[in-house]
Every structure is written in structure tokens, then in C-alpha cells.
Amino acid sequence: MAVTACQGLGFVVSLIGIGGIIAATCMDQWSTQDLYNNPVTAVFNYQGLWRSCVRESSGFTECRGYFTMLGLPAMLQAVRALMIVGIVLGAIGLLVSIFALKCIRIGNMEDSAKANMTLTSGIMFIISGLCAIAGVSVFANMLVTNFWMSTANMYSGLGGMVQTVQTRYTFGAALFVGWVAGALTLIGGVMMCIACRGLVPEETNYKAVSYHASGHNVAYKPGGFKANTGFGPTAKNKIYDGGARTEDEVQSHPSKYDYV
């Protein structure tokens, strides 16, 4: 019961985590405009992995996609790749884990096969969560670097007074969604790996018993019978003269009395 609960809970947590990773990848609020000491508040900018948007004070929002591949920063392309790999691995892990659930019976699938499938899906969930966390962390590090570089340029010269107005970006909501979703997927993968140990059937040691068929090793005597065990110099089967014979055998093996 505990194994089934652990496996089911791990599946549900991983499912929520994969859904969060997909949502974070599609969101546009990866970086939002920092409004601190910004005199222009009529326009609000925010950017995502696939497009950048501008929202005016009137409520009108206009988004423009990134219509280039080579013109984008290498770090942004790396974040895209990590998030896509995390989604693909998570989707495959979900498909495998559905067939690995103990509460679902498919044909004559043994528990050892379900244990292997559970372990495989758990490893996929762990890698998927790590990819999501790594992608979000790389993007956050890029934001922090650009933020402090823009701040240094804004407050340089004139005794620390603001010299130029530059748009600075800070953490968006998608980053926090990605961190939480990656952590949930990672936790779900660990729970699936733990449930795998309970699905493995226990090995039982049986004492070996050797059985010998006595039908071919029994020789009859007038005084009784003898069963050959197959060991020792008398391992070959023997037929004694006192045994029963048919007429054909008697005619095919003449004795010395037939010539008298």
C-alpha cells in the first residue's frame, strides 16, 4: 500500500511539475522592466523566450516575436534548449510512468517490469527537473549581470547623479514558476525511484531437491527388486536372467539346450 501511494504521489507531483515547466516556457514575463527610479511609467516592457511585449498605460499590449535565430544571444538559445529538453524528457517520463503504475494492469506484466519502468521514469523526471532549474538559473544570472552593468552606466559621472536613462530588467514571474516546477519534477522523480525499490519482487532461496526417475533403472529379481541410483560403478542398467521375457526375446536369444 505504501509503495502504491508513493508511486502515485510521485506521478502526480511530476505531472504538476511538467505542467509548470511548459507554462513557464510559454510565458512572456521572463524579464520585466524595473520601475525603480524610472520617470517613464506610461510604457511597461517585458520579455520572454520567444517574444518581447510592450504594455501601455491605456491597457493596449503589443508583442513582437523574435524573427531571428542567429541574432539572439547564445545564452538565450541555451535556455531555450534546456527548457525544451526538460519538456521532452518529462513528457516521455509521464508516458512511461502511466504504464508503470501498480494500480494499472496491462496483460501479464510482471512487477519486475513495472519496477524497471518506474525507475526509468523517475530518472527522466530528475533530469527534466534539473534541466528546467538550470535553464531558469542561467537566465536569472544573465539578468543580474545586465542589471548591474546598466546600473553602473546610469550612475557614472556627475558625482553619482543619473546621467542617462536606460531600461533595466529584473526577475519576471516565469522565473519563479520555472524554479518551483523544476523542484516539483525533481521531487517527483526521487519519489518514483524510491517506489521502484518496493516493486522489485523479493528473491526466495529454495533448497534444491534432485529427483530421479526410477522407471528406467529398476531391475527385477526373483527375490525382489533393486533401484539403481545412478552413482558408483553399477550406474548402468542391468537386466537379470530371472526377469520376465517374451517369446520373441526367447527365440532371438537361444540357449545351449536348444541344440541338444
Side-chain angles (χ1 to χ4, degrees), residues 57-137:
S57 58
S58 59
F60 178 75
T61 302
E62 181 180 1
C63 296
R64 179 180 175 84
Y66 303 137
F67 299 106
T68 179
M69 180 66 72
L70 300 178
L72 295 175
M75 299 298 289
L76 180 60
Q77 296 183 9
V79 172
R80 282 181 172 182
L82 286 172
M83 300 303 292
I84 292 175
V85 170
I87 292 174
V88 172
L89 289 178
I92 297 175
L94 286 176
L95 183 62
V96 174
S97 61
I98 290 175
F99 296 99
L101 292 176
K102 193 174 181 180
C103 57
I104 298 178
R105 283 291 178 184
I106 302 177
N108 295 326
M109 184 179 296
E110 298 179 355
D111 290 340
S112 59
K114 285 183 174 290
N116 294 332
M117 295 175 67
T118 302
L119 180 61
T120 302
S121 61
I123 294 174
M124 287 185 176
F125 288 148
I126 292 175
I127 298 176
S128 175
L130 291 177
C131 287
I133 294 174
V136 175
S137 300

Side-chain angles (χ1 to χ4, degrees), residues 130-245:
L130 291 177
C131 287
I133 294 174
V136 175
S137 300
V138 168
F139 194 90
N141 180 67
M142 184 173 59
L143 281 180
V144 171
T145 303
N146 295 334
F147 182 87
W148 290 113
M149 290 180 63
S150 301
T151 303
N153 294 331
M154 288 176 59
Y155 290 95
S156 62
L158 298 179
M161 297 180 62
V162 177
Q163 184 178 4
T164 58
V165 177
Q166 295 183 0
T167 303
R168 299 182 302 178
Y169 291 91
T170 184
F171 294 169
L175 296 181
F176 301 100
V177 174
W179 273 319
V180 174
L184 289 177
T185 308
L186 183 63
I187 294 173
V190 172
M191 294 181 67
M192 294 292 284
C193 292
I194 294 174
C196 167
R197 299 185 59 183
L199 293 175
V200 176
E202 298 180 358
E203 296 182 358
T204 306
N205 296 326
Y206 296 97
K207 294 183 178 180
V209 179
S210 178
Y211 296 95
H212 299 279
S214 60
H216 300 284
N217 298 329
V218 176
Y220 295 93
K221 279 184 170 184
F225 68 91
K226 177 182 179 181
N228 190 3
T229 58
F231 299 97
T234 60
K236 296 183 179 180
N237 300 334
K238 296 181 180 180
I239 301 177
Y240 293 88
D241 296 335
R245 294 183 181 181

Side-chain angles (χ1 to χ4, degrees), residues 5-15 125 184 187-189 191-192:
C6 182
Q7 187 186 35
L9 184 60
F11 174 78
V12 173
V13 172
S14 300
L15 179 62
F125 288 148
L184 289 177
I187 294 173
M191 294 181 67
M192 294 292 284

